Amino acid sequence: MTALKENLDRLEEAIAAACRAANRARAEVELMAVSKTFPAEAVVEALSLNLALFGENRVQEFTAKSHELGDARPRLRCHLIGHLQSNKSARAAELFDGVDSLDSLRLAERLSEAAGKCAKRLPVLLEIKLSHEATKTGLDPASADAAQLLERLPDLPQLELHGLMTVAPLGAGEQGTRDCFRALRALRDRWAAAYSRLNFAVLSMGMSGDFALAIAEGATRIRVGSALFGSRPALRP
Ligand SMILES: *Cc1c(COP(=O)(O)O)cnc(C)c1O
């Protein structure tokens, strides 16, 4: 058995246990394999183990990897989960099957225009910032930009809102992490009630270290990298 297969088996057991503890069906939680920094061969092996949804955090890195994937590329869905600068939105719209890190009105407008040019409807998640870490990206849900973006989204037909995404603050501890996930779910419920033309079905939260808490708090998609592929070399900021 390969290391990836072993890791996946172990991960699936932990996901199943978290679902049981939360009284949820395994089918309610989608597993995204975060393949950033790992080579195309790792993605191909993951595909052979029936993983189909992948997360990458850089446009440039996935441009190269996408070429290497060749024939395998159409068999997977790959979403951008890292911060997107609006000057890279054309490339991102072409390259990815979804953008889970939409965090401003300006980016939404650029991305919608870019998706239109490649005759694509692009699934998106709003990345929400729920803590005040200076380094953290994401949309402040109480900001004027958030309000304007939510008003504007129904008129951007090339973007298809599917829900919300967040990353728990680093070193928040179990309670802080739980609070963050709970806050995302509460925000989702509030926005779903207030913006009936928009779809908020997806709650993407939880990574290798905290996916069980996220499942307990209602995650419908977890994003797992190192628990599947192994530890990564330190990332550039
Ligand atoms: C890297 C990354 C993950 C996966 O992190 P692991 O701790 O390796 O599971 C999930 N979400 C985002 C946004 C990431 O950048």
Side-chain angles (χ1 to χ4, degrees):
M1 202 153 62
T2 67
L4 181 58
K5 169 76 173 127
E6 236 170 272
N7 290 346
L8 178 59
D9 287 351
R10 196 178 315 118
L11 177 62
E12 276 297 342
E13 266 175 46
I15 294 172
C19 286
R20 269 195 309 275
N23 248 319
R24 303 183 60 198
R26 170 66 187 87
E28 291 173 40
V29 182
E30 187 177 26
L31 173 59
M32 169 185 271
V34 177
S35 48
K36 66 185 187 197
T37 77
F38 292 96
E41 296 82 73
V43 174
V44 170
E45 189 189 351
L47 257 179
S48 77
L49 299 172
N50 293 321
L51 291 164
L53 177 64
F54 293 82
E56 286 280 337
N57 70 337
R58 284 171 196 276
V59 171
Q60 204 168 338
E61 182 188 342
F62 192 63
T63 300
K65 211 180 286 186
S66 173
H67 283 299
E68 289 162 19
L69 283 167
D71 292 350
R73 176 63 185 94
R75 292 192 283 126
L76 58 99
R77 286 182 294 143
C78 187
H79 288 198
L80 180 67
I81 58 173
H83 180 66
L84 179 60
Q85 290 166 318
S86 52
N87 63 1
K88 290 189 184 155
S89 46
R91 193 71 199 98
E94 255 178 87
L95 194 61
F96 290 101
D97 307 300
V99 172
D100 294 1
S101 50
L102 183 60
D103 62 0
S104 74
L105 174 59
R106 177 182 153 77
L107 179 60
E109 286 174 336
R110 295 282 291 265
L111 204 54
S112 176
E113 195 187 319
K117 282 186 183 143
C118 33
K120 221 166 158 177
R121 271 173 72 85
L122 203 59
V124 295
L125 301 181
L126 297 180
E127 182 183 354
I128 304 297
K129 174 175 157 147
L130 292 165
S131 68
H132 298 288
E133 288 172 283
T135 55
K136 208 163 160 183
T137 58
L139 182 67
D140 172 355
S143 64
D145 199 52
Q148 284 165 9
L149 175 54
L150 290 162
E151 291 295 340
R152 185 92 173 88
L153 270 173
D155 303 322
L156 297 175
Q158 310 302 333
L159 300 188
E160 208 172 88
L161 183 69
H162 285 193
L164 306 181
M165 188 267 256
T166 202
V167 178
L170 212 64
E174 180 170 333
Q175 195 54 50
T177 301
R178 230 181 227 288
D179 290 348
C180 168
F181 294 155
R182 196 167 292 170
L184 190 72
R185 184 184 183 158
L187 180 69
R188 190 275 304 271
D189 293 346
R190 217 160 58 235
W191 280 356
Y195 299 92
S196 56
R197 293 167 69 198
L198 294 173
N199 168 18
F200 292 94
V202 175
L203 272 184
S204 173
M205 53 192 197
M207 324 200 313
S208 293
D210 54 21
F211 65 82
L213 291 174
I215 289 171
E217 297 300 335
T220 68
R221 179 183 296 164
I222 57 174
R223 308 180 305 271
V224 178
S226 48
L228 267 177
F229 295 108
S231 58
R232 287 181 296 271
L235 287 175
R236 284 166 293 141

